[in-house]
Amino acid sequence: MDQIVSTRRDGGIAVISVDNPPVNALKHAVRAGIRDAFAAARDDAAVEAIILTGAGRTFMAGADINEFGKPSQPPSLVDVIREMDDIKKPTIAAVHGTPLGGGLELTLACHFRVAAPGTRLGLPEIKLGLIPGAGGTQRLPRLAGIDKAMAMILSGDPIPAKDALAVGLVDAIIESDLIAGAIAFARKVLAEKRPLRRVRDMEDKLGEVRRDPQKFGEIVAAHTKRSRGLAAPAAAVEAVRWTLDVPIDEALRREREKFMELLAGDQSKAQRHIFFAEREAAKVSGVSKDVAPREIRRAAVIGAGTMGGGIAMCFANAGIPVTVVETAADVLKRGQDTIARNYKTSMSRGSLSADEMERRLARFTGTTNIGAIADADIVIEAVFEEMDIKKQVFGNLDRLAKTDAVLATNTSYLDVNAIAQVTKRPASVLGTHFFSPANVMKLLEIVRGKETAPDVLATAIAVGRKLGKVPVVVGVCHGFVGNRMLSARGIESERLLLEGALPHEVDGALTEFGFPMGPFAMSDLAGLDVGWRNRKSLGVKAVIADAICEKGDYGQKTGKGWYVYETGGRGGRPNPEVEALIVDASRRVGITRRPIDKQEIVERLVYPMINEGARILEEGIAQRSGDIDVIWIYGYGFPVWRGGPMFYADTVGLAAVRDRLAALAKSSGDKRHAPAPLLERLANAGATFASLAQDKA
Ligand code: T1G
Ligand code: NAD
């Protein structure tokens, strides 16, 4: 095999190295190369010990996801690992970067593992709708214990080398040169004639739970996150349970069988789509890889309300000092109190230490003096959703901010170009649309103005990544991508109420579909006033929602909206005033209420979004259908195992979506439901939204 896998000798030590940039993914040639290199070293009498390592930025980061769904070529990773397992010479995995998935499973077929500091080790298969398929569910519990293994497999999150050392997953951390350290480690093993224990034969760490199987349930409960509709978590728990009472070869066979079943399933296809779509989303036409982002050492946020406070926390959490500007001392204090309360909540949940909280709080400067933003490298405006106020603020920012500052607006709907035009530096202006709660939601919708400079875009993408967000660049239109599609859903959700449904029924159907919450609970969280301001600015009416707002009920922030919220309570209970208001509204507009089933509710909420997504693609507001999917998954909780609205449409079939929309347009008389030309064209051609990217490639 060509130089993808090479072996060099250091005396009696064979060092096998994989070099398949960028992440040494275990494609066919790599698997075959590793198998052949190990066989050669095994059969070479001069070789006393074998080291496996990866060149470049990381040890093998897992199977090559591009190969999934294609005919598999032998040897499989299971074959390679089976042969490695039987080698009677010391085998040592020397890891750095991110040994993940099949990469970590390879190391579990070695007798020893040594790691460079900063290495992060994990089994992220669950994030792809899979379980580890090459022994991870059986070998990791034997090496690191069932509790740690379950935590790693169910979260999919990697652990740092020092934690891996603590649980016995690695045998040593090499502070100096990794390969030289690994060779020295190998020589020590040989000199001390250390017994060669195969991980598969290790049982001591299973004893405690085997003796008290009830403990297994406690471990599962401790590590199970809400997995609404996901198939892989339950499969992973079942697989790890086999370590208790199923002989390992049988357990390994079952693991592979379950892995292959999930691999062929729709959920994993959807989650793999999102894996690549998320990475594609960061590639923006007109912004080449060599456009350098501006350096961001200090930030400022205008407005410390629902969003401003959360955005400021993102900067402080990422280690960037942030100035928060408000109109008056009392409003500023309210905003600062909310921030402190959020940190205290995280501390009480054990996800933040007291010291770290103090460090983060120390990065905030609160002021009512807008002049204080003069030394900020980026300023994000999060004031009321009113164009006049935003223009007035940007006029000030233009006057006061340093020349190379990036000026951003967190507007949900408004015209970013119009805001930029009040400044003398529209090239430095763009939208950075965070999602509520801003310190939690991962999406950052970056709105590119018609004059936004490439390095300003590159800066916003880099800042998004630094804040732990998933950045997606979109164009300017009302509501950009996410909220524009949300509006299409909102119009239909109000229509469903008038025709016979109640808020909790609509929300129930969508949560069953996989969303964390339905449209009405979501607008109560965001604040009904945001949508109200938007409708007023558009001159459109929502009979029921407007009536609720006129009563001053804005949702959670006022304790009442579509639902009623008890102080400190979790979630809302149905609001009888609203239900009476809905029934009365139906009567007033002459609609006879009827039962509406869940399927109809889901189709009438999701299909109009897909239709609006097609228009957005046609207008070039979004570059790829995958971008729209990433926006809806990370910004609006669209179920990841359905792959996002556009991927979901491809799964349902565009002809079926088109026909349902055409029927809806006819029955409702609402022309907006008429299938978008792109949808019509693709459906007629039997094509998919995904095929658009393939055609472009
Ligand atoms: N396969 C194919 N391509 C991959 C890949 C993989 N496993 N991992 C990364 N890439 C590509 C990625 O698309 C991007 O390409 C480039 O590498 C850099 O990635 C049997 C079956 C390793 C932590 O799930 O988590 O093993 O966009 O931009 O931020 O049990 O990539 O440049 O063209 O993300 O530095 C398990 C997935 C597979 C790891 C690096 N492994 N990868 O992050 O760079 S399932 C994973 C990651 C498995 C076994 C099963 C991250 C990373 P492009 P990047 P990064
Ligand atoms: P909010 O009413 O909670 O907070 C707005 C804050 O801005 C208030 O505290 C107000 O005192 C302050 N303010 C107003 N004028 C100011 C000025 N000239 N200088 C300094 N501070 C000023 O509103 P919010 O929900 O945080 O929304 C803020 C922006 O973020 C809006 O554009 C909104 O559309 C957008 N947004 C909101 C959400 C959401 O879910 N709430 C999500 C994304 C984006």
Side-chain angles (χ1 to χ4, degrees), residues 305-307 326-327 382-385 390 393 410 412 433-434 436 526:
T306 308
M307 295 306 291
E326 258 292 352
T327 51
V383 303
F384 298 134
E385 183 74 351
K390 292 193 186 291
V393 168
N410 186 54
S412 304
H433 186 205
F434 289 75
S436 181

Side-chain angles (χ1 to χ4, degrees), residues 301-309 311 325-328 331-332 334-335 370 381-386 389-390 392-393 396 409-414 432-437 483 522 525-527 529-530 533 557:
V301 176
I302 315 299
T306 308
M307 295 306 291
I311 296 169
V325 182
E326 258 292 352
T327 51
V331 197
L332 177 63
R334 195 175 59 209
I370 184 90
E381 162 277 312
V383 303
F384 298 134
E385 183 74 351
E386 302 214 13
I389 299 178
K390 292 193 186 291
Q392 182 252 340
V393 168
N396 285 334
T409 171
N410 186 54
T411 180
S412 304
Y413 293 90
L414 299 175
T432 51
H433 186 205
F434 289 75
F435 287 75
S436 181
N483 282 345
M522 192 171 116
L525 173 74
D529 56 324
V530 176
R533 283 175 208 279
K557 59 171 104 174

Side-chain angles (χ1 to χ4, degrees), residues 187-257:
R187 295 222 156 90
K188 205 155 166 284
V189 166
L190 290 165
E192 295 167 4
K193 295 191 176 16
R194 280 224 212 147
L196 303 184
R197 298 184 66 200
R198 298 189 304 175
V199 174
R200 58 168 285 146
D201 303 330
M202 297 177 184
E203 307 277 328
D204 41 332
K205 287 196 177 170
L206 303 178
E208 190 196 350
V209 183
R210 280 184 173 164
R211 285 188 295 279
D212 178 6
Q214 200 183 329
K215 273 207 166 35
F216 186 83
E218 291 157 15
I219 290 171
V220 173
H223 299 301
T224 299
K225 279 188 297 194
R226 239 183 341 175
S227 55
R228 195 178 299 281
L230 288 164
V237 168
E238 187 54 26
V240 175
R241 187 194 304 278
W242 296 328
T243 58
L244 301 184
D245 52 13
V246 178
I248 186 156
D249 286 318
E250 170 54 15
L252 289 172
R253 188 195 62 72
R254 292 185 193 179
E255 177 201 70
R256 189 71 185 172
E257 191 177 66

Side-chain angles (χ1 to χ4, degrees), residues 477-685:
C477 67
H478 195 79
F480 321 123
V481 170
N483 282 345
R484 178 172 161 181
M485 293 167 70
L486 186 69
S487 301
R489 187 180 85 177
I491 293 161
E492 202 54 26
S493 54
E494 170 106 357
R495 207 173 265 144
L496 283 162
L497 294 182
L498 286 170
E499 292 179 26
L502 291 173
H504 65 274
E505 292 165 341
V506 174
D507 284 355
L510 227 54
T511 49
E512 205 172 291
F513 178 79
F515 276 91
M517 61 175 68
F520 300 110
M522 192 171 116
S523 44
D524 271 357
L525 173 74
L528 272 69
D529 56 324
V530 176
W532 195 29
R533 283 175 208 279
N534 169 46
R535 286 191 299 279
K536 279 200 275 188
S537 70
L538 286 176
V540 295
K541 286 207 165 315
V543 183
I544 304 165
D546 294 353
I548 299 172
C549 291
E550 271 134 26
K551 291 192 313 131
D553 296 341
Y554 294 161
Q556 290 194 19
K557 59 171 104 174
T558 58
K560 235 190 326 185
W562 292 104
Y563 298 95
V564 178
Y565 299 87
E566 320 296 353
T567 325
R570 280 184 71 75
R573 59 178 171 76
N575 181 346
E577 292 166 25
V578 166
E579 295 190 353
L581 201 153
I582 292 170
V583 173
D584 181 53
S586 302
R587 187 186 49 71
R588 268 186 294 108
V589 294
I591 294 178
T592 310
R593 299 178 62 76
R594 62 180 176 88
I596 302 180
D597 70 25
K598 292 186 180 135
Q599 181 60 28
E600 177 179 351
I601 291 173
V602 168
E603 288 178 357
R604 286 180 59 179
L605 293 180
V606 175
Y607 289 11
M609 286 168 41
I610 294 167
N611 206 23
E612 202 58 34
R615 293 192 182 102
I616 285 169
L617 279 173
E618 246 156 0
E619 296 163 22
I621 301 292
Q623 289 183 86
R624 293 157 286 243
S625 62
D627 291 5
I628 298 177
D629 291 332
V630 169
I631 284 171
W632 268 83
I633 281 168
Y634 286 110
Y636 301 83
F638 196 99
V640 66
W641 49 275
R642 293 187 188 275
M646 310 315 276
F647 183 89
Y648 174 68
D650 284 349
T651 312
V652 172
L654 298 189
V657 174
R658 183 249 343 252
D659 297 348
R660 185 76 182 87
L661 282 163
L664 209 50
K666 200 147 168 275
S667 63
S668 67
D670 185 340
K671 293 196 188 52
R672 279 171 297 206
H673 289 329
L678 174 65
L679 175 59
E680 195 74 69
R681 199 167 59 243
L682 292 172
N684 294 346

Side-chain angles (χ1 to χ4, degrees), residues 22-23 25 57 61-66 68 77 98 100-102 105 124-125 128 132-134 259 275-276 279 283:
V23 296
R57 68 182 188 185
D64 187 336
I65 304 170
N66 294 308
F68 288 169
L77 191 56
T98 50
L100 301 174
E105 290 170 306
E125 285 83 348
L128 299 169
F259 170 81
F275 174 84
F276 287 115
R279 284 153 182 81
K283 297 169 188 162

